[in-house]
Structure formats: C-alpha cells, structure tokens
Amino acid sequence: MALKSIQYKQHTFDISYEIVNPEAQVDLIILHGWGSNKNLMKQSFSSYMDGFRHIYIDLPGFGNSTCSMALTTADVARIVELFMIHINAQKDIIMGHSFGGKVALVLEPKILVLVASAGIYVEKPLKIKAKIALFKLFKLLGLSKFRSLFVADDAKELSEYMYQTFKNVLNEDFCDEFSKYEGRALLFWGKEDSATPLSSAKKINELIKDSTLEVYDGDHYFFMKYAADISKKIETEFLKSLGH
C-alpha cells in the first residue's frame, strides 16, 4: 500500500493505492463502490489481466484515504484525475463498481467498464419517502439528534463530511453523462441486483452508443464470482481496440 497527497480546493487528500504488474504498459484503473475499498476489488481482479498495470485506489473517505470536505461525484473524479497525473497513469481502461462507475464515467476513459454502476435515478419506495419527510420534520423541531433512526445503513457510521457527500451523490441522475460518453463501454451486471437494478443496466446500454451488456447470476457483488470471465472479456475488448 502507498499514499499520495493530493491538493484540491485548498484541501489535502491522502489517497491510498496499490499497483499490481507495475511494469505493464497499459493502465487499468479500478474503482470500488460506496462503503467499500480497494481491497475488495484487488481480491477479485488482481489474479487476472496481467498484461495491464492494475491501479487500485481507495476513493476519498474510504479505506485508508482521507476526506476533509463534502464532495460530489465530479469532485471525486477530479481528485482521482489529479492522483493519476501524480503517478503518470493514462485513461486506457477504467473500471468502476457501483458509485465507482459514475466516477469512471466522468473520467472519460478510452474503454469504460461499468460493473453494476450507479447513475440512473431510481424512484424511492413510499416507505423511504415517508421516512425522509419525517426526518425533515424532526429537524425543523430541533430533534436532529435522532438522525441515526432515519439514515440508511450505508450512511450510519459516516463522518459529517462523508454523510454530506453521501447525500450529494445518492440522487444524482447521470443520464446526460452516459449519453455524452463517446468511448467504448462494457457493462457487467447481476440479475438479482437490488442496489442498482438490471433496469438501470438496460437504460445505460441504450444511452451509451457503443456499449455491450453482459448479465450474470447474482446480486450487487456478482463480480467476485465471475471476475475471471469479466477479465477475459475486458482483455478481448482491448485487443479489438488495437485492431488485433
């Protein structure tokens, strides 16, 4: 594990990362999802794709990376971009799981790999809407200390900065961003995913002009079981892009 200090908007972010196959000439940036870290992605993919230099990054506020301000997805992408400049990494292939998929999209790589990516707004169930309305009422009454009764499990242990970031990124609709992406996109999804449903995958596949969708058995973390197959498809796609 290594750390790089990145300056962004007068704040310092210590970004934790790990590089596998450091001598390889083609860069593969791998970004984890919300509430996760680089180790989960490394555990899944580091045994494969040895023709690529794998760069596993803890996004700001996750794993061993620090965060000292509330961020949007665009902010996170810019911090990752500054980090990439520091380590002389290219945007050859960027893979993102869930929240990491939105960050990968903003970075506009040559080949975009979306693994159960977030970015399509899904209408909240009535129960959740009622919970939000009730919390807002409690806040008006000065009862914010009951916040833990209302926040999602994903947000319960978060610092104030990260909770604000969570709120910033949760409801972003990236339909425009998906439709503007001009590179090649590979979409990989789990049939039983309830966090980013298969309907989102189909929508993204429609929005990105040059994209393909592969569906596997499993939930939001299906890729842990199918990393070998996903890796093979990424390698094949990269060779095709070279005209091989």
Side-chain angles (χ1 to χ4, degrees):
M1 187 197 83
L3 277 177
K4 274 272 184 243
S5 288
I6 303 300
Q7 300 298 316
Y8 178 69
K9 291 188 175 176
Q10 296 163 328
H11 288 259
T12 300
F13 295 82
D14 291 327
I15 301 300
S16 173
Y17 67 102
E18 203 165 332
I19 296 179
V20 174
N21 310 324
E23 303 307 317
Q25 300 301 302
V26 178
D27 288 333
L28 167 64
I29 314 293
I30 302 183
L31 307 174
H32 61 80
W34 189 271
S36 186
N37 58 57
K38 66 181 180 301
N39 294 338
L40 179 74
M41 305 308 286
K42 183 177 172 240
Q43 181 189 323
S44 301
F45 291 102
S46 60
S47 306
Y48 310 108
M49 302 183 281
D50 51 11
F52 303 147
R53 178 170 76 141
H54 298 210
I55 301 165
Y56 296 92
I57 303 169
D58 278 336
L59 294 174
F62 297 103
N64 293 307
S65 292
T66 62
C67 181
S68 54
M69 62 180 275
L71 302 168
T72 62
T73 300
D75 290 324
V76 175
R78 183 60 184 147
I79 292 164
V80 171
E81 192 167 45
L82 292 169
F83 163 79
M84 288 172 64
I85 291 165
H86 270 265
I87 65 160
N88 195 26
Q90 307 305 311
K91 297 179 182 180
D92 299 320
I93 310 166
I94 304 184
M95 173 198 291
H97 173 238
S98 199
F99 171 60
K102 290 199 293 184
V103 179
L105 171 69
V106 175
L107 289 165
E108 298 185 319
K110 290 175 195 153
I111 298 176
L112 173 65
V113 181
L114 297 177
V115 180
S117 177
I120 298 296
Y121 179 72
V122 179
E123 191 70 24
K124 290 182 181 65
L126 199 56
K127 195 168 99 174
I128 302 291
K129 285 183 177 173
K131 213 172 176 185
I132 291 167
L134 192 57
F135 176 60
K136 284 180 176 168
L137 176 62
F138 268 52
K139 213 170 170 186
L140 280 174
L141 298 171
L143 299 170
S144 299
K145 64 185 176 184
F146 293 108
R147 178 176 85 108
S148 64
L149 299 175
F150 295 92
V151 298
D153 290 341
D154 280 353
K156 275 190 173 141
E157 305 303 318
L158 298 179
S159 69
E160 200 50 50
Y161 292 131
M162 290 306 288
Y163 180 60
Q164 191 54 53
T165 299
F166 178 71
K167 290 203 297 185
N168 289 346
V169 306
L170 187 62
N171 295 326
E172 290 170 324
D173 185 347
F174 267 43
C175 283
D176 280 353
E177 286 82 352
F178 285 121
S179 65
K180 284 174 190 162
Y181 174 68
E182 293 183 344
R184 174 77 176 129
L186 304 179
L187 280 54
F188 299 101
W189 237 266
K191 265 183 214 166
E192 292 84 40
D193 192 333
S194 57
T196 53
L198 193 52
S199 58
S200 295
K202 290 172 180 171
K203 177 90 178 185
I204 295 169
N205 196 26
E206 283 170 18
L207 290 167
I208 298 179
K209 295 169 205 74
D210 188 8
S211 64
T212 54
L213 170 61
E214 298 278 347
V215 180
Y216 297 81
D217 288 329
D219 59 14
H220 198 50
Y221 293 92
F222 74 94
F223 64 88
M224 296 178 75
K225 189 176 172 185
Y226 296 102
D229 191 64
I230 292 168
S231 299
K232 207 176 290 176
K233 288 184 165 75
I234 295 169
E235 287 173 321
T236 301
E237 194 55 49
F238 180 73
L239 288 172
K240 266 169 61 183
S241 75
L242 298 176
H244 292 190

